[in-house]
Amino acid sequence: MLHKTGVPTILIWSSLCLLMACDNTPRATEVIKSHGPEEGSAALVLLIERAGGEGPYVEGATEHFRVVTSDETFKSVRWSVSAGLVTPDSERVSWTLPPAGQAVLSVSVETQSGKTAEGAFTFNVVAASLAAGIAIDSGPDVTGSACELAFDNAGRGHLLYLNDTHRSLWYARWDGTTWTREQVDGPGFGTGGFISAFALALDAVSGTPHVAYLKGYGSPGGAPGFNRIWYATRVNGAWVTENTAPVNRSPNTRVSIALDPAQGLRPVIVVSDNVTSLSSLTRTAPNTWSPAIIDATSGTAVEYVMGDVAFDAAGTLYIPVTTGSGGPIYLTAVRGTTAESLRLEPVDLANRWLPMVWGPGNHLLMLASGGSLGARMGLLDITVASPFSASTYTAFPVDNENDASDLAYAGKLFIAHRHGTALELITPDARNLWTYTQIGTAQSSSRPSIAVRPTTGVAHVCYQRDDKVSFQ
């Protein structure tokens, strides 16, 4: 069972804006960090600017870069690449990209003041055939400020995304070549409403999607009385939708969903807002939902679900929880009517979403999607013990700048990471140090979603670019 959650939501912009020929819209130069430590003078940090390009790095295309550093003038600059054709011109370079795969662009500099530095930048080069199919919805509407990606065991892709123009919810399936799109819900004549939050859980064996979402009327920030939690699933090729409870919700409602393996993969929705208590909704039969209040922190007035929820094989439900802005983060374990919570030290996670997946063994991996510069607690590796009170965790930094992230685990850890408009794939190397690979351009204010295709072991990402939901 796979589950994902979507909530619609910067690397420092260069002052140089380029006019792109595709739509004549002013665009800020994309800035890429080498993630250091660079070799050479400790105080000299190198960045490269991508000039005139955007989106994925496509085999055979020519990309243009410029190396920059703070308050220094270059005396000499040398460029090299692991593959492809490079044409240097002092601090600028043109690079014709090699065939699909990973490739490295390296630069070494000496400044007029005598400082030296070297930087290496890793890129994921995609095949032209894949790049041509990256836009999933080519219609005129804005799509993809939120998207969720998952794969079933047969390698078919399942994608849930928001149509931002009409506030409708869409689903797309990928057979390895072609995407097929269907509307799940949205505004209609005597039916539907506007969608503002959603979550996806996938039965990886059958390929059946299970969706929880917030549907209401008026603007996403409208009156609380018009928002309710809905559920949708695909039965015999058609979408079936259910109102899970006649309870009015705040537009600030957060929702997540998971399938309980100890109960035949029945869907369980976890929901919270700033009006009602943290609670779960269990689907016991079609159109039948059983609500339950979850007291995660022993009587705290308001508790919020803070990230993706997950079941273990025995049916214990794990929920990231917070008690409010600036409050501590808890991992709450719910078994039947009993809830226990592991307090995680106060970290820079408040008002952020926490993607969470099972790692190796009894390890839950929790990632901060967004945070302050240099945040130490980017990734939490939680060792779940029995009794739960004996559980422990370790925290690791992921990147100096984190605007939005997602993670997946399939024998190793994969992180999709956006800072500004730069989109990266982060993976551990043989020494467990992070490897940062550039995979293209994503729209600022959007959050990517990552999943690993089990038939190939390749990580894929959905994200928003040029106001369109995209896939790579």
Side-chain angles (χ1 to χ4, degrees), residues 41-401:
S41 305
L44 195 60
V45 177
L46 297 181
L47 305 173
I48 59 172
E49 295 177 345
R50 184 187 189 187
E54 63 164 352
Y57 297 91
V58 182
E59 61 182 5
T62 299
E63 295 282 352
H64 306 277
F65 299 96
R66 181 170 74 101
V67 64
V68 295
T69 192
S70 300
D71 303 322
E72 293 284 347
T73 302
F74 294 124
K75 179 179 179 181
S76 65
V77 179
R78 296 180 181 177
W79 296 92
S80 64
V81 292
S82 62
L85 178 65
V86 66
T87 305
D89 181 15
S90 188
E91 73 271 17
R92 301 178 184 274
V93 67
S94 298
W95 182 20
T96 301
L97 297 178
Q102 287 197 354
V104 180
L105 174 67
S106 301
V107 62
S108 60
V109 304
E110 181 182 359
T111 68
Q112 295 291 352
S113 64
K115 295 179 180 178
T116 62
E118 296 181 2
F121 305 82
T122 303
F123 296 82
N124 186 60
V125 181
V126 301
S129 58
L130 178 59
I134 274 178
I136 295 167
D137 188 334
S138 59
D141 297 340
V142 177
T143 58
S145 65
C147 66
E148 296 301 333
L149 176 66
F151 288 96
D152 62 32
N153 291 347
R156 295 181 294 251
H158 301 258
L159 178 67
L160 196 64
Y161 69 94
L162 188 70
N163 179 307
D164 299 84
T165 299
H166 302 295
R167 306 299 298 183
S168 56
L169 187 61
W170 286 75
Y171 166 80
R173 288 178 297 155
W174 185 57
D175 61 8
T177 303
T178 304
W179 285 98
T180 303
R181 299 182 298 111
E182 303 170 351
Q183 185 169 357
V184 179
D185 207 343
F189 181 54
T191 186
F194 298 113
I195 313 301
S196 56
F198 60 84
L200 169 67
L202 179 69
D203 179 347
V205 176
S206 68
T208 301
H210 300 264
V211 181
Y213 56 103
L214 182 66
K215 183 170 69 173
Y217 305 95
S219 68
F226 298 134
N227 294 275
R228 292 190 176 176
I229 300 297
W230 283 72
Y231 164 83
T233 190
R234 203 166 180 270
V235 179
N236 297 324
W239 283 96
V240 175
T241 62
E242 300 176 6
N243 186 353
T244 63
V247 176
N248 296 329
R249 297 286 179 177
S250 159
N252 298 317
T253 296
R254 295 170 175 175
V255 61
S256 190
I257 186 172
L259 307 181
D260 185 351
Q263 296 293 333
L265 297 182
R266 68 182 183 184
V268 176
I269 298 171
V270 178
V271 60
S272 65
D273 60 22
N274 57 358
V275 177
T276 58
S277 300
L278 178 70
S279 60
S280 65
L281 296 160
T282 300
R283 190 178 191 244
T284 56
N287 276 306
T288 304
W289 292 84
S290 175
I293 300 298
I294 300 172
D295 185 5
T297 55
S298 300
T300 302
V302 179
E303 300 165 339
Y304 302 94
V305 57
M306 199 60 199
D308 297 335
V309 299
F311 278 101
D312 64 17
T316 299
L317 178 63
Y318 298 90
I319 310 169
V321 174
T322 185
T323 56
S325 179
I329 303 297
Y330 299 86
L331 177 64
T332 297
V334 180
R335 179 66 172 168
T337 59
T338 302
E340 298 180 84
S341 291
L342 173 68
R343 177 170 174 149
L344 309 174
E345 66 180 86
V347 293
D348 181 33
L349 302 180
N351 294 322
R352 311 287 183 175
W353 191 256
L354 302 174
M356 186 173 71
V357 298
W358 282 106
N362 60 333
H363 289 253
L364 275 170
L365 304 176
M366 183 187 295
L367 179 70
S369 180
S372 301
L373 285 175
R376 182 173 68 89
M377 310 289 278
L379 175 69
L380 300 181
D381 180 359
I382 304 166
T383 303
V384 178
S386 182
F388 185 67
S389 58
S391 300
T392 59
Y393 71 93
T394 307
F396 310 95
V398 174
D399 197 5
N400 186 57
E401 185 167 357

